Amino acid sequence: GAVVSQHPSRVICKSGTSVKIECRSLDFQATTMFWYRQFPKKSLMLMATSNEGSKATYEQGVEKDKFLINHASLTLSTLTVTSAHPEDSSFYICSARRSGSGYTFGSGTRLTVV
Amino acid sequence: GDSVTQMEGPVTLSEEAFLTINCTYTATGYPSLFWYVQYPGEGLQLLLKATKADDKGSNKGFEATYRKETTSFHLEKGSVQVSDSAVYFCALSSNFGNEKLTFGTGTRLTIIP
């Protein structure tokens, strides 16, 4: 079946540094990838939608300069949290979709900014 | 806009108890409805789905029926197991060419032996 690999699963970084999270579709080409953020005891908040070869579409209230999304190929999308601050600490999950099929989620990345 | 209202947890049940997690939605058109499950430390997995009114999704003993008249998609299981302990998310996807999923807040379920 469709598998999405998300890496790293956990990362701790210092305040002010940048962190890159990768999301790969291992056995299919993902026409669209989604990035979500999950707050404690709350639902998943969609941050942005990315299509291969084009700029990501960000949801209202999400800073595009802070959360850089690159969808360089049909199997790879990256989320870079720039100049991270403690309030950026969260669980980030990617999801990939291929045309005509459902959504496959990565296993998530726990980001802790200290 | 689209929204999903989900029963707040946490829910704690004894093994073999009957489970219901309520979910209602607001959407334009005819959305597809989903239940996702998140086990500790993992990402979301699709549990079941329904794409049109009166469809019943089922998997691993869980069921949910797409009720258009009540805009609901309640999750049920007749006899829960300890291994069902997880967070359950109800979600919808609008069928107006918008592919994104809208999630409910999630319900944490704990099953005690």
Side-chain angles (χ1 to χ4, degrees):
Chain A
V3 177
V4 170
S5 173
Q6 188 172 341
H7 180 79
S9 57
R10 292 179 179 271
V11 58
I12 301 172
C13 70
K14 291 186 177 180
S15 188
T17 62
S18 295
V19 175
K20 179 183 285 188
I21 303 170
E22 291 188 349
C23 181
R24 292 181 184 272
S25 55
L26 297 186
D27 50 1
F28 67 98
Q29 293 185 326
T31 53
T32 306
M33 286 189 173
F34 305 87
W35 287 95
Y36 293 85
R37 180 174 178 177
Q38 186 177 23
F39 294 93
K41 298 183 180 180
K42 291 187 180 289
S43 185
L44 283 77
M45 181 191 78
L46 179 65
M47 299 174 67
T49 302
S50 73
N51 294 294
E52 185 265 339
S54 62
K55 288 185 179 180
T57 302
Y58 289 81
E59 295 298 302
Q60 193 172 12
V62 177
E63 298 176 63
K64 57 183 68 176
D65 292 333
K66 178 159 190 67
F67 298 100
L68 300 179
I69 291 171
N70 183 278
H71 195 156
S73 74
L74 283 170
T75 59
L76 174 64
S77 177
T78 60
L79 167 67
T80 301
V81 183
T82 63
S83 187
H85 290 284
E87 57 264 31
D88 298 325
S89 298
S90 194
F91 193 63
Y92 294 88
I93 303 177
C94 70
S95 171
R97 177 175 178 143
R98 55 182 166 175
S99 182
S101 297
Y103 307 85
T104 303
F105 285 81
S107 55
T109 298
R110 171 75 59 194
L111 170 63
T112 304
V113 184
V114 297
Chain B
D2 297 345
S3 68
V4 176
T5 301
Q6 188 174 341
M7 173 180 169
E8 284 196 28
V11 174
T12 303
L13 295 172
S14 297
E15 205 166 19
E16 300 183 1
F18 183 85
L19 168 71
T20 299
I21 301 178
N22 290 337
C23 172
T24 57
Y25 67 90
T26 301
T28 50
Y30 305 97
S32 295
L33 302 174
F34 308 83
W35 276 100
Y36 283 86
V37 58
Q38 184 180 29
Y39 297 103
E42 299 183 13
L44 275 70
Q45 301 174 26
L46 177 64
L47 179 60
L48 53 85
K49 68 177 182 181
T51 58
K52 62 183 188 296
D54 299 326
D55 267 3
K56 177 186 282 188
S58 61
N59 185 25
K60 299 181 181 180
F62 291 89
E63 292 183 340
T65 301
Y66 189 144
R67 301 286 187 199
K68 191 170 186 298
E69 63 276 14
T70 54
T71 61
S72 65
F73 193 55
H74 304 322
L75 182 68
E76 296 182 336
K77 185 173 184 180
S79 177
V80 293
Q81 306 299 315
V82 173
S83 56
D84 294 327
S85 298
V87 181
Y88 292 81
F89 291 93
C90 185
L92 70 82
S93 173
S94 169
N95 286 332
F96 278 118
N98 181 348
E99 298 183 77
K100 67 182 183 182
L101 288 169
T102 300
F103 287 89
T105 52
T107 302
R108 181 175 298 278
L109 173 66
T110 302
I111 307 300
I112 53 178

